[in-house]
Amino acid sequence: MAIRLLVADDHEVVRRGLAVLLAGSEIEIVAEAATGKETVRLAEKHRPDVILLDVRMPDGDGLATLEKLRSKIPESRVVMLSTYDNPTYMARSVALGAADYILKGSSREDIIATIKAAAAGEAPSRFGQLQKVAEAMKLQPTLEDDDVPLTDRELQVLRHVALGLSNKEIAQSLDISVETVKEHIQNILRKIAISDRTQAAVWAVRKGLLEPPA
């Protein structure tokens, strides 16, 4: 039985390329979407086995679309597709329930293997990017039920980290020095008892720190 796939990417050339790439495999593209809103609509209509979802969408963050898909169509497995080998994007993908995360430059064999693993409900494929992040999350105890005394500025920095910004980009956004950003990040990691930015991003997502205020 063919694996039913929805491809969501705002670039037609990527969608066409994937159609050519997957031709002759056991994966059938049942729908294509160019925006997050269209992705959710078509996913509700077609109920695909797997949704291949671009991280960057024209009407907002593809990870926000991931969250909607996991809420509305939980039976469909979502594989994030990205140009960006960004550990914070990967961490947010894990925390929001993605089955895997694969780079657009991956080989045909790796893309097919990742989609098949997702459709089968397996753990992240060794060809995808999420395996190391998922394993790290299993080993890392969380403090999500604890009150952690982060300052307002530390919370601002943490939100920026979780969105995948570099120290330089955070410094420019908050109008502070790169050295000050580094100091804030060291304090954040110490206070929430984790060791790197990827785990900080996961923690921020789980705490709801990226959600807009009500």
Side-chain angles (χ1 to χ4, degrees), residues 105-183:
S106 300
S107 70
R108 177 179 188 268
E109 291 74 17
D110 291 357
I111 292 173
I112 289 174
T114 299
I115 292 171
K116 288 172 68 175
E122 297 174 3
S125 163
R126 65 185 180 88
F127 302 107
Q129 302 294 307
L130 286 195
Q131 190 176 51
K132 57 187 177 184
V133 176
E135 290 301 317
M137 288 175 64
K138 288 178 186 176
L139 298 173
Q140 178 64 41
T142 65
L143 300 178
E144 56 188 305
D145 295 327
D146 295 346
D147 291 324
V148 178
L150 297 181
T151 66
D152 288 343
R153 178 62 91 186
E154 287 167 352
L155 286 170
Q156 287 179 324
V157 170
L158 178 56
R159 288 189 186 98
H160 282 70
V161 168
L163 289 169
L165 275 67
S166 67
N167 288 353
K168 183 178 180 181
E169 290 169 331
I170 297 171
Q172 291 173 339
S173 175
L174 298 179
D175 196 23
I176 57 180
S177 71
V178 172
E179 290 305 314
T180 300
V181 172
K182 290 179 180 177
E183 184 178 344

Side-chain angles (χ1 to χ4, degrees), residues 2-212:
I3 296 169
R4 302 173 68 255
L5 178 72
L6 188 160
V7 175
D9 192 289
D10 58 319
H11 292 103
E12 185 177 2
V13 67
V14 174
R15 300 196 304 272
R16 294 293 87 213
L18 284 166
V20 171
L21 201 70
L22 298 174
S25 73
E26 59 191 90
I27 299 167
E28 175 192 1
I29 297 177
V30 295
E32 297 179 12
T35 67
K37 185 175 181 180
E38 188 179 24
T39 301
V40 175
R41 179 179 65 79
L42 290 174
E44 288 186 299
K45 177 181 177 181
H46 293 280
R47 303 281 166 170
D49 301 309
V50 179
I51 301 165
L52 197 57
L53 174 64
D54 191 7
V55 169
R56 295 282 184 92
M57 300 293 280
D59 55 347
D61 184 353
L63 291 165
T65 301
L66 165 63
E67 192 167 16
K68 291 176 184 175
L69 290 169
R70 297 302 300 142
S71 172
K72 292 176 178 291
I73 314 103
E75 67 274 18
S76 295
R77 305 270 288 176
V78 182
V79 174
M80 303 306 295
L81 178 69
S82 181
T83 306
Y84 307 96
D85 185 6
N86 185 316
T88 53
Y89 287 161
M90 296 179 205
R92 290 177 63 202
S93 297
V94 171
L96 292 171
D100 214 331
Y101 182 116
I102 193 160
L103 300 178
K104 290 182 179 180
S106 300
S107 70
R108 177 179 188 268
E109 291 74 17
D110 291 357
I111 292 173
I112 289 174
T114 299
I115 292 171
K116 288 172 68 175
E122 297 174 3
S125 163
R126 65 185 180 88
F127 302 107
Q129 302 294 307
L130 286 195
Q131 190 176 51
K132 57 187 177 184
V133 176
E135 290 301 317
M137 288 175 64
K138 288 178 186 176
L139 298 173
Q140 178 64 41
T142 65
L143 300 178
E144 56 188 305
D145 295 327
D146 295 346
D147 291 324
V148 178
L150 297 181
T151 66
D152 288 343
R153 178 62 91 186
E154 287 167 352
L155 286 170
Q156 287 179 324
V157 170
L158 178 56
R159 288 189 186 98
H160 282 70
V161 168
L163 289 169
L165 275 67
S166 67
N167 288 353
K168 183 178 180 181
E169 290 169 331
I170 297 171
Q172 291 173 339
S173 175
L174 298 179
D175 196 23
I176 57 180
S177 71
V178 172
E179 290 305 314
T180 300
V181 172
K182 290 179 180 177
E183 184 178 344
H184 284 311
I185 290 174
Q186 288 175 353
N187 288 337
I188 291 165
L189 297 181
R190 175 178 53 79
K191 286 183 177 182
I192 62 178
I194 58 177
S195 59
D196 60 39
R197 297 168 80 101
T198 298
Q199 293 171 353
V202 173
W203 190 90
V205 171
R206 286 176 169 169
K207 293 288 284 187
L209 297 182
L210 301 186
E211 298 172 4

